[in-house]
Amino acid sequence: MVNTSALPIVRKPSKVEGLKERSNFLREPVASELLLDTTHFTEGATQILKFHGSYQQDNRDNRIKGQEKDYQFMLRTRNPGGFIPPELYLALDQLADEYGNHTLRATTRQGFQLHGILKKNLKAAIAAIVHNLGSTLGACGDLNRNVMAPVAPYKNRPEYCYAWEYANGVADLLTPQAGAYYEIWLDGEKAISAEEDPAVVAARQRNGNGTIIHDSVEPIYGTHYMPRKFKCSVTVPGDNSVDLFSQDLSLVVITNPQGELEGFNVYAGGGLGRTHNKEETFPRVADPIGYVDKADVFDLVKAIVATQRDYGDRSDRRHARMKYLIADWGVAKFQAQVEKYLGKPIQPLKPTPDFKFLNFLGWHEQGDGKLFLGLSVENGRVKDEGNFQLKTALREIVEKFHLPMRITASQNVLLYEIDPANKAEIQQILKRCGIKREDEIDSLVRDSMACPALPTCGLATTESERVMPSVLERIRLLLDSVDLPNEHFIVRMTGCPNGCARPYLAEVAFVGNGPGTYQLWIGASPDQTRLAQVYLEKMSIDELESTLEPLLVYFKQSRNLGESFGDFCDRVGMESLHQFASTYQPTVETESDGSIHASVTNDKKRHRVSVPPEVYSRLQEVAFREGKPISQLATTAIEEYLKSLG
Ligand code: SRM
Ligand code: SF4
């Protein structure tokens, strides 16, 4: 009799594995269904469409029971290191107006998204992107996603230049080779792309010890591509502007004292997606793996990709990211398998300085006489609204000065190669269009992120981007009311636990958990090197002030000198925070119209003034437009009135 318990358990591959296998290397059913006069694709086609950089969505604000959904498509660009050449920016700007919802959205992985495109316009939109030096290939789907790199264009700091170069190299190495993209969207026309680095071309074909699939048009991916999305970044020592610990694979440039490239430190196994009430899913920070010489770096990338390709879970998509493989195996076993594919040992990590969060906002010298300018974009949304005309401003500046752009990992944009002679004119355009300087924007707003959530994201359980401005304003008012007026910390929000705005690495994070409710995470480091923890499983957004106030007061009373809120919460621990909160007497009241009134018992005592809900909502609108706290607007208006009385 066979002892079945000794046999390996072979679990059924997930449905998506079958779709990939039958797709003829990402062609079908997308190619056939694109020709049909329909508003949307079938479920099978939508899965393959993702590999081409597009998601089928519907405007959830327009859902009417019994009627067809308001189908529309999201397009996401793939641009390593966030690089957007001027012609591509102008094309995207125009596409947003011609086919999209008149906005562009800078993403948390340094891409742009267009929303609201109809199926009949999808081909024209993708073709326009490719014809203007862009691509959407591999921006979504089970393959390597946009490779991140710091945006700073420091020409006198070689490590930054290497980060860009190798971000491009990794992106090229892991680009799908089968050609379906060009057949479908450009009728077979070959893309006009920059020459690939010969080292990348050679590495793609080199076998290593079983890293490539022979006789396949996809030598690295094979017929089934990756078990799940795969995310990489390349950064420089000390620069955590790319959230390197959240990536499947991060490379850190190591140079010698002459600034010459020597190799890379390697981190692997980060990832943030999780599901509420499923403990087996969790966010995870990447582990340090070691160091490889520059000559081995592409083989190392292939070895890691091959390890996940061959051993990642293809039956349960919730358990398919590489973080679970490393968590299940342990780093040592993972590293041993990678070394087997690489054919040599990985060396010990090189020492580097601590990683810091950097935002590169404002004007800076780029080291060759030119300037760069980082612009804060609230939640990444490039739009025109009332006096706030960011879309117009960026179009005008890029058109007039032909400037390249980089999208940051914090949903902001950076313009560079700026001739100092043009600085004043650029500033004038920004001012005319109502764009604030970075030091005029509340630091809470400036460094926060929120995912799109409603109405476009099919997975959102609640609002994110649309409510984030009011949430931050309420936090600022609360900070004022507990006498922490200039306090700053990193706040992130998502409409569900998937983690698109990387909430689990924020000092304070709101993770959607049903309509109007959020799981509250606190205590990540201000430099995103440590995960936050769950403070509350479910918090109604109406309870924002009553929940946060005790924590902020405790922080104010007991913080160490210079300690950030995230570090404080981590130091004292969740139990102590809960204990303090349970005996705390609230001093801040929330009204049903959402306005808050503080009656703080200290020298800066404030008095309550109630306004009718319609006045409050007008104040809220103006405050959003002008980026000012409501209390400041109300105080100014009242002061003006009192002055007029003499
Ligand atoms: Fe994401 C799915 C938006 C970065 C984890 N993400 C989605 C989808 C496509 C929803 C869907 O599957 O139907 C969202 C489209 C919403 C919309 O209307 O546009 C979406 N993700 C985004 C963006 C646009 C958020 C943003 O505010 O910028 C980011 C696009 C980045 C890009 O240019 O490629 C975005 N997503 C992320 C990140 C952060 C990152 O990559 O640095 C994460 C967490 C890191 C990670 O992957 O571990 C992330 N998105 C997810 C997940 C959960 C993955 C998992 O391992 O469980 C999903 C759902 C899924 O894949 O099943 C998801
Ligand atoms: Fe959608 Fe959730 Fe990602 Fe937000 S975090 S964009 S709600 S999948």
Side-chain angles (χ1 to χ4, degrees):
M1 202 169 127
V2 181
N3 174 6
T4 48
S5 65
L7 294 174
I9 305 163
V10 180
R11 286 180 300 153
K12 212 171 126 216
S14 72
K15 216 173 74 199
V16 180
E17 293 300 315
L19 290 166
K20 288 185 272 186
E21 187 175 303
R22 292 190 297 277
S23 73
N24 185 17
F25 293 99
L26 310 180
R27 288 175 178 82
E28 293 296 344
V30 174
S32 310
E33 290 188 22
L34 187 66
L35 302 175
L36 303 178
D37 183 17
T38 51
T39 55
H40 60 285
F41 290 91
T42 59
E43 166 57 22
T46 61
Q47 294 299 337
I48 301 301
L49 184 66
K50 293 179 189 177
F51 290 75
H52 298 253
S54 180
Y55 264 76
Q56 179 164 298
Q57 303 184 317
D58 71 287
N59 185 334
R60 294 177 60 181
D61 285 347
N62 296 347
R63 277 187 191 175
I64 300 172
K65 225 174 164 184
Q67 283 188 20
E68 185 182 284
K69 286 178 180 169
D70 180 7
Y71 285 110
Q72 44 176 256
F73 292 79
M74 173 268 270
L75 265 181
R76 184 184 288 169
T77 62
R78 166 202 174 274
N79 39 286
F83 174 56
I84 302 285
E87 41 283 81
L88 177 58
Y89 184 76
L90 296 174
L92 290 169
D93 174 86
Q94 197 182 334
L95 287 171
D97 289 339
E98 206 172 327
Y99 300 130
N101 67 357
H102 305 276
T103 73
L104 282 172
R105 194 166 186 292
T107 75
T108 54
R109 283 198 78 74
Q110 303 185 269
F112 267 128
Q113 281 189 181
L114 290 161
H115 285 103
I117 299 174
L118 299 180
K119 179 170 174 265
K120 62 179 184 192
N121 297 325
L122 205 49
K123 185 168 175 172
I126 294 180
I129 289 171
V130 178
H131 285 139
N132 287 284
L133 310 178
S135 179
T136 63
L137 173 59
C140 319
D142 295 346
L143 33 63
N144 180 48
R145 299 295 189 86
N146 199 33
V147 181
M148 289 167 62
V151 287
Y154 293 128
K155 301 295 168 61
N156 54 351
R157 294 183 60 181
E159 66 275 25
Y160 276 91
C161 306
Y162 293 129
W164 284 6
E165 184 185 331
Y166 278 81
N168 282 333
V170 172
D172 286 348
L173 178 70
L174 301 178
T175 296
Q177 299 294 300
Y181 185 73
Y182 301 103
E183 284 171 29
I184 296 175
W185 309 106
L186 289 135
D187 300 321
E189 195 186 312
K190 190 69 196 131
I192 330 134
S193 60
E195 268 304 289
E196 264 187 347
D197 178 352
V200 170
V201 180
R204 191 182 293 121
Q205 296 305 330
R206 203 162 40 239
N207 192 16
N209 296 292
T211 52
I212 71 163
I213 294 159
H214 293 285
D215 306 324
S216 175
V217 288
E218 293 287 9
I220 293 181
Y221 290 125
T223 315
H224 294 94
Y225 292 82
M226 297 297 277
R228 206 61 164 86
K229 54 179 75 165
F230 189 80
K231 298 184 170 179
C232 303
S233 76
V234 184
T235 189
V236 308
D239 184 332
N240 196 23
S241 61
V242 297
D243 252 347
L244 82 118
F245 294 99
S246 70
Q247 315 277 339
D248 290 87
L249 168 60
S250 283
L251 301 173
V252 183
V253 170
I254 303 293
T255 52
N256 63 21
Q258 291 74 48
E260 293 156 351
L261 180 65
E262 296 215 311
F264 296 86
N265 275 350
V266 180
Y267 292 76
L272 302 182
R274 49 176 284 281
T275 308
H276 287 309
N277 307 318
K278 292 212 182 303
E279 293 307 309
E280 65 277 21
T281 66
F282 46 82
R284 186 175 193 280
V285 288
D287 292 294
I289 301 293
Y291 166 87
V292 290
D293 289 331
K294 66 175 182 201
D296 296 327
V297 70
F298 292 130
D299 288 333
L300 178 276
V301 171
K302 273 175 66 188
I304 290 185
V305 165
T307 301
Q308 160 68 354
R309 177 195 70 201
D310 297 345
Y311 297 96
D313 188 340
R314 290 187 184 262
S315 62
D316 176 1
R317 289 182 65 81
R318 282 215 177 106
H319 186 253
R321 292 293 295 274
M322 196 172 76
K323 65 179 174 181
Y324 296 117
L325 183 67
I326 299 187
D328 293 348
W329 276 9
V331 175
K333 181 173 173 185
F334 175 80
Q335 186 165 335
Q337 181 57 50
V338 172
E339 288 175 344
K340 216 156 136 189
Y341 279 139
L342 180 63
K344 57 170 83 169
I346 294 171
Q347 301 166 49
L349 213 68
K350 301 279 181 197
T352 54
D354 289 346
F355 285 100
K356 297 274 171 226
F357 168 72
L358 303 171
N359 68 17
F360 303 114
L361 293 175
W363 288 95
H364 304 264
E365 310 252 337
Q366 59 181 47
D368 60 354
K370 298 255 175 94
L371 303 174
F372 72 86
L373 168 65
L375 288 170
S376 171
V377 183
E378 196 168 6
N379 301 321
R381 190 67 70 176
V382 177
K383 62 182 173 186
D384 286 343
E385 198 173 78
N387 295 332
F388 175 79
Q389 299 274 309
L390 180 60
K391 188 163 174 292
T392 297
L394 286 177
R395 184 179 54 239
E396 204 172 314
I397 294 169
V398 172
E399 212 162 36
K400 182 146 196 193
F401 303 105
H402 203 67
L403 298 178
M405 179 188 281
R406 296 256 166 187
I407 304 165
T408 80
S410 317
Q411 303 173 320
N412 297 322
V413 298
L414 183 142
L415 296 163
Y416 63 112
E417 305 295 358
I418 303 173
D419 187 331
N422 297 328
K423 180 176 173 181
E425 198 176 339
I426 290 173
Q427 272 174 320
Q428 220 166 29
I429 295 172
L430 291 169
K431 196 165 174 210
R432 195 187 72 230
C433 292
I435 314 306
K436 294 200 176 315
R437 285 197 324 265
E438 74 290 350
D439 57 352
E440 294 170 325
I441 301 170
D442 184 343
S443 55
L444 281 182
V445 176
R446 213 178 49 199
D447 291 330
S448 69
M449 296 204 286
C451 74
L454 295 167
T456 52
C457 180
L459 305 179
T461 63
T462 188
E463 297 282 352
S464 179
E465 180 185 337
R466 295 196 292 200
V467 301
M468 188 60 151
S470 67
V471 167
L472 292 176
E473 180 168 43
R474 286 167 65 185
I475 295 177
R476 177 54 70 202
L477 281 172
L478 183 62
L479 284 167
D480 285 350
S481 71
V482 298
D483 204 19
L484 285 168
N486 300 316
E487 201 51 53
H488 162 246
F489 38 79
I490 305 272
V491 186
R492 294 178 178 176
M493 177 183 265
T494 55
C496 85
N498 280 317
C500 297
R502 298 189 291 270
Y504 312 113
L505 285 159
E507 293 179 273
V508 175
F510 304 94
V511 174
N513 193 3
T517 59
Y518 297 84
Q519 198 178 41
L520 179 61
W521 288 67
I522 50 177
S525 77
D527 295 310
Q528 290 96 57
T529 52
R530 177 186 65 233
L531 286 176
Q533 296 174 56
V534 181
Y535 177 74
L536 272 188
E537 281 298 336
K538 228 175 160 90
M539 180 198 86
S540 160
I541 201 62
D542 297 340
E543 291 156 9
L544 178 77
E545 288 81 6
S546 56
T547 306
L548 287 185
E549 187 189 341
L551 308 184
L552 294 171
V553 169
Y554 186 17
F555 168 58
K556 189 179 136 193
Q557 287 173 5
S558 307
R559 76 194 292 188
N560 290 335
L561 191 70
E563 191 174 36
S564 74
F565 183 59
D567 283 347
F568 166 79
C569 293
D570 184 65
R571 176 170 62 78
V572 300
M574 294 300 125
E575 209 181 306
S576 170
L577 292 167
H578 277 292
Q579 206 165 25
F580 186 91
S582 66
T583 54
Y584 179 77
Q585 291 301 316
T587 57
V588 176
E589 297 158 31
T590 311
E591 295 291 304
S592 56
D593 60 7
S595 56
I596 72 163
H597 305 285
S599 47
V600 195
T601 48
N602 64 20
D603 321 340
K604 295 194 179 164
K605 182 168 169 135
R606 290 171 181 222
H607 296 276
R608 300 172 48 153
V609 180
S610 286
V611 291
E614 47 303 351
V615 176
Y616 182 75
S617 54
R618 285 205 54 206
L619 269 174
Q620 218 173 9
E621 260 174 54
V622 180
F624 172 68
R625 213 171 45 233
E626 298 193 0
K628 289 180 184 153
I630 288 179
S631 55
Q632 186 187 330
L633 286 183
T635 307
T636 315
I638 295 166
E639 275 171 359
E640 290 294 319
Y641 174 71
L642 293 176
K643 232 190 279 166
S644 75
L645 296 180

